[in-house]
Amino acid sequence: MKRALAVAAAVVAAACGSSSPSSPSSSSSSNALSATSSFTISLQSVSMTANTVVFNWTSTGATTYKMMIGTTSGASDLLNADVTGTTYTWTGPRTANIFYARVAPTSGGQTGTASTELPVFTIDMRYVIDALYFGYGPMSQSTAQPAGSAQAAIWADGSTINVIVTEESGTLSLDAARTFVTDYLAAMSNHITINVTTTSTTWTGVALNAIPLDTVVVRVDNTVCPQVGVIACAYYGPLPYGAGRSSVNLNAAPTATTPGGSVAIAHEIGHAFGLHHLVVGSSVRPEFRFLMNPALLVSQLSTVEKAAMAAARAGGMRNGWIRSQAVAAGLVFAQANPAYMPTPASLIPTLNDIIESVVIK
Ligand SMILES: [Zn+2]
């Protein structure tokens, strides 16, 4: 089984710069109860127990504010808190949902005009783990209900895995492989040893079963993923799900002006290490930009992915685990797509930005 990376026609919109008109007048007086501006979400952390969301806003001159969060637009049934300063950290539910947040200045018992309301999209970590380890659930590409016997692909504890990046694959590929390995080992509590080396041998044309066990070769070889538009692909590696070895195959070597498949090295090594796609329609906020998204949004593991891997590890997920074990450990839902749960794909609107010009199949 292999996954392929394709590049759609690259469309990079040039930003139209327009200088702001010079303003001859400005207000020198401040009104503490005027509407709070620049209300933003600066950070969202996802754990097994909660979504922690950090809000920031610009001071209106007031020293106190009322922070309001509701389950419907305009409501404050979840939170109605007095806040000093211009930041608030909210511990939201663990489940996937949309909530509505706004903030207003307060003074002398009066509440001023509220800010623009922000939708907060919370992510359920169990969906992230299901997608990454089993390829099921509302954040995966599969709508099927998985069998309890579905396997997770994880290198066995104590293994030594050799990642060989051919010189032909370029220094960007080597650098990307090293960064991925550092992030991966930290998230997985160093459960294996990984050696990253480079070689002048091209490895081109070497069959998968001729690659040594516990080895991932990153090479230029355009015979493995011939689909139109594909720039790279990889096999799932770890036994027993995979063949115990893998190759990441670039369809062309990077050049001085074209990074080619090197932009997808960490994503493809993710597949070689057993990770499946993690899909979400939006990339408007950094917390939704996943390495394993089939739209190539970032080039290394995201904070959410690393947190999911650490949570799965802490929950007992190991080489050879099947999905029913993950269900019993509370790491995934018994049903991949419970009808009563909102799904991230339906909650989070699809938004486009420049980096979505690169699409992974
Ligand atoms: Zn992929």
Side-chain angles (χ1 to χ4, degrees):
M1 197 171 184
K2 65 195 176 193
R3 290 288 187 182
L5 177 84
V7 176
V11 179
V12 178
C16 297
S18 69
S19 56
S20 33
S22 56
S23 174
S25 65
S26 65
S27 169
S28 58
S29 64
S30 67
N31 179 351
L33 289 181
S34 60
T36 306
S37 61
S38 303
F39 183 50
T40 58
I41 293 170
S42 58
L43 184 71
Q44 181 170 337
S45 306
V46 185
S47 72
M48 284 300 283
T49 55
N51 281 258
T52 305
V53 185
V54 181
F55 299 94
N56 289 91
W57 57 90
T58 302
S59 172
T60 63
T63 53
T64 56
Y65 297 85
K66 190 168 286 294
M67 181 79 210
M68 294 162 280
I69 301 177
T71 50
T72 57
S73 180
S76 54
D77 51 320
L78 289 179
L79 182 76
N80 194 328
D82 293 317
V83 180
T84 302
T86 57
T87 184
Y88 185 79
T89 300
W90 179 55
T91 303
R94 70 186 301 198
T95 47
N97 216 325
I98 304 180
F99 301 108
Y100 301 86
R102 63 201 199 283
V103 67
T106 57
S107 178
Q110 288 190 301
T111 301
T113 308
S115 66
T116 302
E117 189 174 68
L118 282 180
V120 180
F121 307 105
T122 51
I123 295 175
D124 195 309
M125 186 63 92
R126 291 165 289 188
Y127 287 154
V128 179
I129 292 172
D130 210 2
L132 286 178
Y133 285 91
F134 297 103
Y136 289 113
M139 295 184 77
S140 76
Q141 290 178 310
S142 172
T143 56
Q145 291 294 343
S149 59
Q151 288 178 329
I154 307 166
W155 298 114
D157 281 27
S159 303
T160 296
I161 304 301
N162 295 301
V163 177
I164 301 172
V165 183
T166 67
E167 289 177 5
E168 191 180 22
S169 302
T171 53
L172 288 175
S173 296
L174 181 60
D175 291 346
R178 285 182 170 143
T179 301
F180 175 86
V181 164
T182 299
D183 290 351
Y184 181 88
L185 287 176
M188 296 288 283
S189 301
N190 295 293
H191 78 301
I192 56 174
T193 300
I194 307 174
N195 300 316
V196 182
T197 57
T198 186
T199 175
S200 59
T201 304
T202 65
W203 285 83
T204 303
V206 175
L208 178 64
N209 61 12
I211 293 172
L213 273 174
D214 295 336
T215 301
V216 175
V217 176
V218 179
R219 63 183 179 183
V220 178
D221 188 332
N222 64 11
T223 64
V224 184
C225 33
Q227 299 98 318
V228 173
V230 167
I231 59 174
C233 66
Y235 295 95
Y236 292 109
L239 288 168
Y241 187 90
R245 69 264 283 180
S246 176
S247 63
V248 169
N249 312 285
L250 308 187
N251 273 352
T255 67
T257 54
T258 310
S262 65
V263 295
I265 290 299
H267 178 101
E268 300 299 347
I269 295 178
H271 286 321
F273 278 27
L275 299 177
H276 299 260
H277 282 155
L278 181 63
V279 181
V280 69
S282 171
S283 59
V284 70
R285 293 211 306 260
E287 59 270 23
F288 301 136
R289 295 181 177 178
F290 306 131
L291 173 66
M292 299 314 295
N293 198 318
L296 189 65
L297 302 177
V298 289
S299 59
Q300 293 294 341
L301 285 166
S302 65
T303 302
V304 170
E305 288 164 310
K306 287 185 277 192
M309 289 159 57
R313 174 84 192 165
M317 189 96 80
R318 297 289 185 274
N319 172 262
W321 261 41
I322 57 175
R323 197 173 178 281
S324 60
Q325 290 175 282
V327 171
L331 294 173
V332 299
F333 289 100
Q335 284 190 300
N337 291 290
Y340 56 89
M341 295 290 292
T343 65
S346 64
L347 290 173
I348 303 175
T350 299
L351 296 164
N352 297 318
D353 60 15
I354 289 171
I355 50 179
E356 286 189 17
S357 60
V358 179
V359 177
I360 302 169
K361 281 184 178 172

